[in-house]
Amino acid sequence: MINRRTRSTAALYLVSDGVTTVAAFFLAWTLRFQTELVPWVEEQTPNFQTYLRMLPFVAFAWPAVFYFQGLYQPRRNKSRVEDAIAILFAVIVATLILTFFTSWYRPAPGFTFSRGFLGAFAVSSYLLSTFGRLTLREMLRAVRRRGHNLLRILVIGSGRLGREVTQKIMDHRELGFEVIGFLDDKQRGDMVLGRPVFGGLADLPATLEAHPVDQIMIALPLEAHRKTLRILEQVSKECVEVRLVPDVLQYTALTAAVEDLDGTPLINLSSTPLEGWSRLFKRTMDVALSSVLMMGLGLVLPFIALAIWWEDKGPIFYRQERMGLDGKAFKMIKFRSMSMNAESSTGPIWAVREDPRRTRVGSFLRRTSLDELPQLWNVFRGEMSLVGPRPERPAFVQEFKHKVPQYMQRHRVKAGITGWAQVHGWRGNTSIRKRIQYDIYYIENWSLKLDVKILWMTLRHGIRLNAY
């Protein structure tokens, strides 16, 4: 049943790719030869029938490359960014193959295919294929939310781990998973999260015979290692998919990743979504936006600097040591808002409401967060990001890491000018534990979409990064 459903979904994606690829072919012809977007300098427009001879090769090559890229192996929990990246790679490879084919294939003596057409086709193919697949994906998710096309899951273990994975499945109905029940030796006959416990672990064969099951999730604690091995031996005789939920959540709040050491699987407990291409995309956005903002604010910054200097003839900028990615210290730049040598007698302390150490200009800058603008230079240099956990001073880090669980996990990513905690009001001298909860959520669920959302919320609500 599960394989039939997978094949049906793959067929839908294949049809979508076929339609969008053919549409991209005709669109590329129109853009190249029927519009002035890229002027055609030859006297005569090529014969469209000649270009149509290329279409059968395209209709074969594109699905073949998409197949080998794994795009017809639907994974319900794959993110949109993952899909878009996979499609991009597939289109690049397919275009290279098509370029090689057209350099060899000559439908007429002296005839060559337009490179502009090939470029327009590649771009059109990527955009239309991505749009078609994302549209189909949302349609399938809408169908699953209504209770159709579901994968029936039996969870083995109704303890903490089993309840946690079941709750996540229930929270994301769009993925198309349905927990039909549990098996657990300690809670036979009970109801857990509204799902029945069919029996003990020994009842697995009878349960699989009595209930249609597409997938088994083994969610047993570490100390049940022997039971897990017996279950794996039993299910090896059944036509059902098996997923193992590792009981390592108590040791980490971040997303774990499975690695390979010469055939031996290793679980990386320090993995985050911000790896590989994701990190490159985030860095590209940081560089682009910080550059644009610094140029756009070029007329405002000199006036702020002049006002700071005019008040007490002191330094314009204030450089303070903060803790960033991987616990490395860097100098964070701010417009100076305090009087000179403000901490000479007190040492590092939190700012307070109506702090007497502030200058008059500094009070305005802190209320409006304009004192944070020079951190755009930190972002451009790569020491910070536009979005991320706010960096703390090393003295406070040393204090908090012994008092607040998982505090150091926030240093797995670059510090940010604004963050998920700040746009929800947890800024300045507020609860450290609450801020950590929001920072950990951001790290676990990072995506470019989430970054854009945080930036939009920062602009929309005028979030002040400093409470005082």
Side-chain angles (χ1 to χ4, degrees), residues 95-148:
T95 302
L96 291 175
I97 294 173
L98 179 62
T99 302
F100 174 79
F101 171 77
T102 55
S103 66
W104 170 80
Y105 173 63
R106 293 285 190 273
F111 180 87
T112 57
F113 290 99
S114 166
R115 287 177 294 180
F117 169 82
L118 296 177
F121 175 55
V123 174
S124 301
S125 173
Y126 173 70
L127 294 177
L128 292 182
S129 294
T130 302
F131 175 77
R133 279 178 159 265
L134 292 181
T135 301
L136 179 57
R137 168 198 176 105
E138 294 307 315
M139 291 173 60
L140 289 172
R141 289 195 165 197
V143 168
R144 291 163 186 159
R145 287 191 193 98
R146 295 186 178 93
H148 305 291

Side-chain angles (χ1 to χ4, degrees), residues 78-94:
K78 183 187 289 186
S79 70
R80 285 185 287 266
V81 174
E82 286 181 290
D83 267 340
I85 293 174
I87 296 169
L88 177 61
F89 275 111
V91 170
I92 290 174
V93 172

